[in-house]
Amino acid sequence: MNGTKHLESVLFDGAREIADPFERQAFLEQACLGNSELRRRLERLLAVDASAKTFFTLPPPSTRSDEAAAVNGDPTATAISGTNIGRYRLIERMGEGGCGVVYLAEQQHPVRRKVALKIVRLGMDTENVIARFEMERQSLALMDHPNIARVLDAGATATGRPYFVMELVDGEQVTDFCDKQQLGIRERLELFIQISLAIQHAHQKGVIHRDIKPSNILVRVHDGVAVPKVIDFGIAKATAGRLEGDTAFTAFDQFIGTPAYMSPEQAAGGEMDVDTRSDIYSLGVLLYELLTSRSPFDPKRFKESGIEEIRRILREEDPPSPSTVVATLTHQELTALSADHGGGSEVHKLAQNLKGDLDWIVMKAMEKDRQRRYETANGLAMDVRRHLHNEAVTAGPPGRRYRLRKLVRRNKVTFVAATLVLIALIIGLGTSSWLFFREKDARREAEVARANESMQRVRAELRETIAQAAVKIHHGDLLAADALLATVPVNGTPSSLEAANSYRAVGEMHVLEGRWDQAADRFASLARAMTRVDPSDSDNVSRNLLPAAAAICYSRDSARYEVIRSMAIERFAGTARPVVAEQVIKASLLMPADPETLLALEPFAEIIEQAIQSGRGAYGNDRHLIAWSSFSLALFNYRKGDDKHASEWANLCLASGHPDASRSASARILLALIEHQAGRPSNARAFLALAGPPIREKFTENLKLSETDQGFWFDWVNALILLREAEALIGE
């Protein structure tokens, strides 16, 4: 696209978003700057765009029923009702997005149901728009989440325009819903958490939404519960890999998205520089509006400004915090806000309620520098959850250095002048002061150098200790190696494969000889060494969590187990590998978990379930991995109180056909706990009677494994841990 065509495309996109004809004419006069030819071309394009809205105005279905009839139809034809696109009968026009028109339609077969059908508008079927529309169709098809509008079907019309069919979301945009229902802060935050987790799901599928705003989040009430749905991934881009047929790209410097909700890097137009943190910014703007019923920046100002001015505002100007906005409202505005938030005296304390946690969370999500934002939508959701549970949030007030840097950027001229004066004063202090500070700095540098030297010496000594222990292990002297490793503190464990292998060897020695406290110490060091030396999410790394968690949990060291559990979830957050996800869940749920931990483990469970159902990825036809993954899902669902699905996964684990006595015993223990929970004690004791003997046999004295055993020693330890829990609840 040459410069003239590009300018014409940008101005057309801007003009067609202005509904008021007078405002649109004012925009064209300012934008064209006397270029009458450009003005005429834009007006012709806008006329074609307006006529596109009658694309499906057709004669009665008895005379015309397909798209060809629509293209060549009578301009005096009746309404669109009865028009057929494939197996869908169009009913009425519902709305439009950046490149498509949405219709209410009825599916004719194999079932009858109301759906939403989206198709490229007439007059907009350029190669780039069709390619972008095809990407939207594929992006939505990748996702399966209760809070994301589901794709039901896709195809192309007789003239080649692509369309897709989505579930019909009959709801209101989220801000209107919250105001009409007069929801308080807590209810709004709970809705926001669901929205953030839906965006997290999209990110895990490699898709950035890039246009998160209230009109793209609809809320409906289902069985008395408000359910948000994220819609319109029309400008989404893949973050990893290529979607099939991905030929669309955004022209350089082109605006894609809605300016009021757009991150600074997205507004800059650097297509390749936009990542998932751009959606984090938009979520921050959405949360800002949910809390204050106002946009961070004045919408009227954006409407009156040119593209470059909008970019400058997003890049340089900081919006006021939510509490500051509320604190400056007039009495009339405060009364209106009170009605939106449920009325009563609580709203008079709204600014105070927003100050602190919620201010910090919103402003962290909306940071200009994306390095300072939340790394994931899940991290943002968890911080909001922490606030609701009165726990400390990870967001916090900006430090003094950061505030000073922002102050300097806002007052460059003043600070330049002040700096020159300060330099003159410093020079005036004379040589003696300079020498004094130079001597002081030299002493400080010497102290720092000595401290660094001491630290390096300690690290070298620890590495030497590990090396000596490795030599002892090589010669079979495990006791001597263990004595050396016992002198290395857990927090000072060197990050190396040599250290990891050494701790694994002596840890297993303690396990087989029944010294569980010492085993817990060594495996805690193993987990720290291995997870730090290898930054990947390979299952070779995550597998080390299983013996560490088993040994620590067996020794009933709950505090250290919480450390291992938190480290596992944080270390492998964002993994796409089902084997890793399965190992993290097993290592994290040997003990009951709080709601926050279960929420953090939800993405891991989704990865496992999708891998089992699809039969692709790391599983293939490996019945061993499918069986263990089914057990992990059973354990996860039991811990979160979903006994129905827990029972289904446990039975699938037992029916896998792959022999593993420890896994089978563990699955039967879960079924015993589920039966006990359901009030069927005889069934619970029956499952325990099947599971208990093979486990007790392994622990008659110390843990004994025969050559015929499948699996690993820690699988039997995990089974014993679950057996202890079941017997405490059910009785032997």
Side-chain angles (χ1 to χ4, degrees):
M1 180 183 293
N2 59 37
T4 302
K5 289 293 184 182
H6 173 55
L7 175 62
E8 181 179 311
S9 175
V10 171
L11 294 179
F12 170 74
D13 287 340
R16 63 181 297 275
E17 293 295 332
I18 303 174
D20 188 288
F22 297 103
E23 292 185 8
R24 178 182 288 182
Q25 290 300 319
F27 171 81
L28 291 174
E29 288 177 7
Q30 180 182 2
C32 293
L33 298 176
N35 189 335
S36 58
E37 179 61 28
L38 175 61
R39 174 76 174 268
R40 281 194 296 272
R41 288 199 304 272
L42 287 173
E43 288 177 340
R44 284 199 299 270
L45 286 172
L46 291 169
V48 171
D49 179 60
S51 67
K53 297 179 180 179
T54 61
F55 173 55
F56 284 112
T57 302
L58 305 175
S62 60
T63 59
R64 298 172 183 257
S65 61
D66 58 16
E67 189 191 9
V71 173
N72 303 303
D74 184 350
T76 64
T78 59
I80 66 170
S81 178
T83 303
N84 291 331
I85 296 292
R87 56 182 173 176
Y88 303 96
R89 182 174 61 85
L90 303 186
I91 299 175
E92 63 177 325
R93 180 191 181 100
M94 296 172 61
E96 62 183 283
C99 60
V101 183
V102 182
Y103 292 90
L104 172 64
E106 182 180 57
Q107 182 176 338
Q108 303 288 316
H109 59 83
V111 295
R112 282 186 173 274
R113 57 181 170 182
K114 294 290 195 304
V115 296
L117 186 146
K118 186 169 184 179
I119 186 169
V120 169
R121 291 195 317 273
L122 185 65
M124 287 293 289
D125 52 343
T126 63
E127 181 179 352
N128 279 347
V129 171
I130 290 177
R132 187 177 298 146
F133 193 91
E134 178 67 16
M135 177 172 289
E136 174 183 5
R137 192 175 73 184
Q138 295 190 38
S139 299
L140 280 172
L142 288 174
M143 291 173 279
D144 183 13
H145 193 277
N147 299 114
I148 295 178
R150 194 159 48 92
V151 173
L152 303 175
D153 193 8
T157 67
T159 58
R161 292 189 183 93
Y163 69 86
F164 70 82
V165 182
M166 294 168 46
E167 65 172 301
L168 182 63
V169 182
D170 183 16
E172 298 178 273
Q173 73 177 43
V174 62
T175 47
D176 291 345
F177 177 85
C178 291
D179 291 345
K180 289 181 181 178
Q181 298 295 322
Q182 297 183 333
L183 300 186
I185 291 179
R186 171 172 287 275
E187 290 80 7
R188 292 169 184 249
L189 293 178
E190 288 173 346
L191 271 179
F192 179 78
I193 289 173
Q194 295 183 62
I195 296 165
S196 298
L197 293 178
I199 298 300
Q200 172 73 20
H201 176 82
H203 290 174
Q204 287 180 324
K205 295 298 183 181
V207 177
I208 310 172
H209 190 290
R210 300 208 317 163
D211 197 18
I212 297 170
K213 56 185 177 182
S215 61
N216 280 339
I217 300 166
L218 304 181
V219 183
R220 64 180 176 185
V221 177
H222 182 69
D223 291 337
V225 178
V227 179
K229 289 273 188 178
V230 182
I231 65 171
D232 200 355
F233 279 76
I235 53 174
K237 296 291 182 179
T239 58
R242 289 173 58 90
L243 294 171
E244 183 179 356
D246 178 11
T247 59
F249 63 92
T250 304
F252 176 72
D253 225 24
Q254 184 175 345
F255 248 16
I256 291 296
T258 305
Y261 302 88
M262 191 180 296
S263 67
E265 65 270 18
Q266 185 177 349
E271 173 71 17
M272 300 305 294
D273 197 37
V274 173
D275 59 27
T276 56
R277 289 170 294 182
S278 182
D279 279 353
I280 305 300
Y281 180 95
S282 301
L283 285 171
V285 179
L286 175 64
L287 181 56
Y288 194 109
E289 287 197 20
L290 288 173
L291 296 175
T292 68
S293 297
R294 281 156 178 76
S295 297
F297 297 102
D298 184 0
K300 182 179 179 182
R301 185 182 178 194
F302 271 15
K303 198 171 185 179
E304 296 172 350
S305 301
I307 292 176
E308 289 306 320
E309 175 62 10
I310 292 174
R311 286 173 173 155
R312 187 200 65 77
I313 293 171
L314 292 174
R315 186 174 60 250
E316 299 180 6
E317 295 189 13
D318 290 321
S321 65
S323 64
T324 301
V325 170
V326 174
T328 57
L329 295 179
T330 65
H331 177 73
Q332 183 178 3
E333 291 171 332
L334 193 60
T335 301
L337 187 61
S338 173
D340 290 342
H341 284 74
S345 60
E346 181 182 351
V347 76
H348 297 289
K349 299 179 181 179
L350 184 56
Q352 181 180 352
N353 293 337
L354 296 178
K355 193 172 185 179
D357 284 1
L358 293 176
D359 271 348
W360 299 340
I361 290 171
V362 170
M363 302 313 286
K364 180 179 175 69
M366 292 180 57
E367 279 284 358
K368 307 288 188 190
D369 181 0
R370 60 185 170 184
Q371 300 290 340
R372 296 176 60 86
R373 295 177 205 153
Y374 291 95
E375 292 185 359
T376 64
N378 187 52
L380 172 57
M382 290 181 68
D383 231 10
V384 174
R385 179 80 69 181
R386 292 187 188 98
H387 168 75
L388 291 176
H389 291 169
N390 295 315
E391 300 173 357
V393 299
T394 61
R400 294 180 180 178
R401 182 178 299 178
Y402 176 74
R403 291 199 298 268
L404 176 61
R405 186 166 63 250
K406 301 289 282 187
L407 181 64
V408 170
R409 289 179 180 175
R410 290 196 300 269
N411 303 276
K412 291 181 179 178
V413 175
T414 302
F415 271 92
V416 168
T419 301
L420 292 175
V421 173
L422 181 61
I423 291 173
L425 290 174
I426 292 175
I427 294 174
L429 290 176
T431 305
S432 59
S433 297
W434 175 74
L435 291 173
F436 169 77
F437 286 112
R438 182 179 179 183
E439 181 183 358
K440 185 177 180 180
D441 288 342
R443 288 198 300 270
R444 184 183 297 111
E445 289 175 1
E447 291 173 359
V448 171
R450 285 194 294 271
N452 288 337
E453 182 182 354
S454 176
M455 184 181 299
Q456 293 298 328
R457 185 166 55 252
V458 170
R459 289 176 178 172
E461 290 172 353
L462 291 175
R463 286 194 294 269
E464 177 62 25
T465 300
I466 295 294
Q468 293 175 8
V471 172
K472 297 289 186 183
I473 292 171
H474 179 72
H475 290 91
D477 194 350
L478 294 177
L479 290 176
D482 182 64
L484 289 169
L485 295 177
T487 65
V488 179
V490 173
N491 291 337
T493 304
S495 298
S496 68
L497 291 174
E498 185 177 48
N501 292 333
S502 299
Y503 280 110
R504 184 184 295 107
V506 298
E508 291 185 345
M509 173 193 71
H510 287 304
V511 165
L512 296 176
E513 295 183 6
R515 294 188 291 268
W516 292 99
D517 290 340
Q518 294 93 323
D521 290 340
R522 303 302 175 263
F523 279 112
S525 296
L526 163 65
R528 181 177 178 84
M530 193 63 186
T531 54
R532 291 172 61 199
V533 72
D534 187 345
S536 72
D537 65 345
S538 165
D539 57 311
N540 290 327
V541 182
S542 59
R543 190 178 296 115
N544 290 286
L545 295 169
L546 296 174
I552 291 170
C553 191
Y554 183 89
S555 65
R556 293 184 170 89
D557 190 341
S558 58
R560 184 177 285 178
Y561 180 68
E562 286 296 334
V563 173
I564 288 289
R565 174 153 59 188
S566 298
M567 182 177 69
I569 295 172
E570 180 179 354
R571 170 64 173 76
F572 295 101
T575 184
R577 294 171 56 82
V579 178
V580 172
E582 174 257 325
Q583 292 169 349
V584 170
I585 285 182
K586 280 197 303 187
S588 301
L589 293 180
L590 292 177
M591 289 183 177
D594 57 30
E596 182 179 339
T597 299
L598 292 170
L599 179 64
L601 288 170
E602 189 79 42
F604 295 94
E606 290 180 2
I607 292 169
I608 301 171
E609 186 169 352
Q610 290 166 8
I612 293 176
Q613 292 174 349
S614 66
R616 297 191 299 270
Y619 288 114
N621 294 319
D622 192 330
R623 291 183 299 164
H624 172 69
L625 289 178
I626 293 175
W628 270 120
S629 296
S630 300
F631 171 77
S632 294
L633 289 174
L635 180 60
F636 173 75
N637 281 281
Y638 170 73
R639 291 300 190 203
K640 73 173 187 176
D642 188 351
D643 290 346
K644 178 179 179 297
H645 287 98
S647 178
E648 291 175 357
W649 286 114
N651 282 302
L652 181 61
C653 171
L654 291 171
S656 68
H658 182 274
D660 190 306
S662 62
R663 186 183 61 237
S664 298
S666 297
R668 291 188 177 102
I669 293 171
L670 285 182
L671 290 171
L673 289 166
I674 293 168
E675 291 296 307
H676 172 74
Q677 188 76 16
R680 295 186 286 268
S682 59
N683 290 351
R685 285 192 291 271
F687 279 118
L688 276 187
L690 289 173
I695 299 173
R696 294 295 185 192
E697 181 182 349
K698 298 297 176 186
F699 292 87
T700 51
E701 294 179 2
N702 298 328
L703 176 62
K704 296 185 181 300
L705 298 177
S706 66
E707 294 181 357
T708 60
D709 279 315
Q710 298 90 18
F712 301 95
W713 62 265
F714 47 79
D715 292 334
W716 284 106
V717 175
N718 292 344
L720 182 60
I721 292 167
L722 293 174
L723 179 63
R724 292 191 312 202
E725 179 181 349
E727 289 179 344
L729 291 173
I730 303 169
E732 299 187 19

